[in-house]
Amino acid sequence: MTSHETLLAAASIKPEAYTQPFLRFISENPTVFHTVDYFSKQLSSHGFTKLSERDLWTDKLEKGGKYFYNRNGSGLIAFTIGSEYKSGNGVAIIASHIDALSARLKPISAKSTKAGYVQLGIAPYAGGLNQTWIDRDLGIGGRVLLKDEKSGKISTKLVKLDWPIARIPSLAPHFGIAAEGQANKETRMVPIVGLDNTDISEKKEIQEEGRASVLGGAGTFVSTQPARLVKAIAGEMGIQNYSNIVNWELEVFDMQPAQLGGLDKEFIFAGRIDDKLCSFSAIEALLASASESSSATGGGSSDDSGIVRMVGLFDDEEVGSLLRQGARSNFLPSTIERICEAFGGDKCGANLVSKTYANSFLISADVTHAVNPNYMDVYLEDHSPRLNVGITVAADSNAHMTTGKFP
């Protein structure tokens, strides 16, 4: 199958074939950890081999192979190696990010009860906790670090409390000026997660003593978290001994499910589209590409099999991409260099690596703001992206975008 025939075959696939899977993906994978886990399972089910950064790859990579690995459980790179690949050939890359604006639990998330309300200490991630978070049904999810009682080893497991467990209440407009303006995120954007009126109960001391004992006593991680949240997390994960929870990375997320909207259902209404939309599309494209290459010649090589096809899904884009799983780390270049070394051996020095980069091409795939018809005056003339008319190419005269000039 030629490249032209492949494009025609792809064009014949109706958007509806991807719509419902994407809606389920968005709704069921609210955190970066769930997203990486989802993609890892997708890739494994399509014959991709999982690699480890801690191993040598020189004896693991093969021409025609399909591979992936993750870093920190929150970033992922997947790639296929053409059957005619040789070191110095190019890499075709789509790079996206899978983190989204959110609010994460503070290291000590327990807060003093106020007026009978149990509240949760959270902090904004990037631009999270803005006004759109008020009066939303919020769930809680992420990953939990568990200690095995027998071996003492620490393992990581995912958790998701996907019922409305938290809400940040607005102040009724009847209160006038106090209900207006930007809310203080530390004092006015604190979610409510339950009721507790033991401060006016004669049984307060007895209840507090019982609460401390079930959480493993002073000095444990769970003693710094809301007791009922610990119980809910433990119950969801089937944990009997609360002190086995040695830490967690949790965040609150909007519970509203992704769905179609508009008179003809031409819209997708969902949170966290930035940038799970491009991430989902990139992985689907890689899977389809790998399938086309294999089926085109009965499992053999295709006409462009001398290259490496790669998708990089990064974390921390919303906060600058500076951590080890971010796009500014060595995550992507180290992957390319290890592939080069696996097939170039001693010849894979700076010269061959530089040749690889020169022969490669990267698409930085992210979402952008579509034009808002109620605010036409804020857009540059002739620069207001419309929906459903094609891909938007983002450019900046001050080079703040990756878009460059072609030679």
Side-chain angles (χ1 to χ4, degrees), residues 25-235:
F25 160 71
I26 281 285
S27 299
E28 296 172 3
N29 299 282
T31 75
V32 288
F33 307 118
H34 287 89
T35 302
V36 167
D37 182 65
Y38 171 86
F39 286 138
S40 296
K41 291 176 180 177
Q42 282 281 93
L43 292 163
S44 293
S45 68
H46 284 78
F48 281 67
T49 299
K50 184 176 182 180
L51 300 171
S52 171
E53 279 194 281
R54 298 184 177 185
D55 296 334
L56 290 175
W57 290 3
T58 48
D59 59 346
K60 295 182 180 296
L61 302 185
E62 297 179 354
K63 295 180 180 181
K66 302 182 291 185
Y67 307 93
F68 75 97
Y69 74 106
N70 77 71
R71 180 178 283 187
N72 186 49
S74 61
L76 180 144
I77 290 178
F79 57 93
T80 63
I81 302 173
S83 57
E84 299 299 323
Y85 172 78
K86 60 181 181 179
S87 294
N89 287 7
V91 184
I93 310 165
I94 298 178
S96 302
H97 70 93
I98 51 179
D99 59 321
L101 306 184
S102 65
R104 299 182 175 181
L105 271 64
K106 293 180 178 178
I108 300 177
S109 64
K111 296 185 70 68
S112 299
T113 299
K114 293 182 181 178
Y117 290 110
V118 179
Q119 293 184 281
L120 187 65
I122 60 175
Y125 174 78
L129 276 190
N130 54 46
Q131 295 297 105
T132 64
W133 284 67
I134 295 176
D135 294 328
R136 295 265 186 176
D137 293 340
L138 302 176
I140 293 178
R143 66 180 177 185
V144 179
L145 274 65
L146 301 173
K147 182 177 68 175
D148 184 89
E149 292 185 354
K150 294 182 179 180
S151 66
K153 292 183 178 180
I154 305 297
S155 63
T156 300
K157 292 187 178 180
L158 302 184
V159 67
K160 181 174 58 174
L161 304 182
D162 52 1
W163 69 89
I165 195 173
R167 177 175 282 251
I168 301 171
S170 61
L171 184 65
H174 309 71
F175 286 88
I177 193 170
E180 300 175 358
Q182 184 71 33
N184 185 303
K185 295 181 180 180
E186 278 294 313
T187 59
R188 301 287 173 83
M189 300 288 287
V190 185
I192 291 172
V193 294
L195 293 172
D196 182 356
N197 287 305
T198 56
D199 60 320
I200 57 175
S201 170
E202 294 180 355
K203 300 179 180 180
K204 176 183 177 183
E205 292 184 2
I206 296 176
Q207 294 182 14
E208 286 186 345
E209 289 175 2
R211 180 183 305 160
S213 64
V214 298
L215 295 180
T220 61
F221 168 76
V222 292
S223 68
T224 64
Q225 312 301 318
R228 286 159 61 187
L229 175 61
V230 172
K231 294 178 183 179
I233 295 290

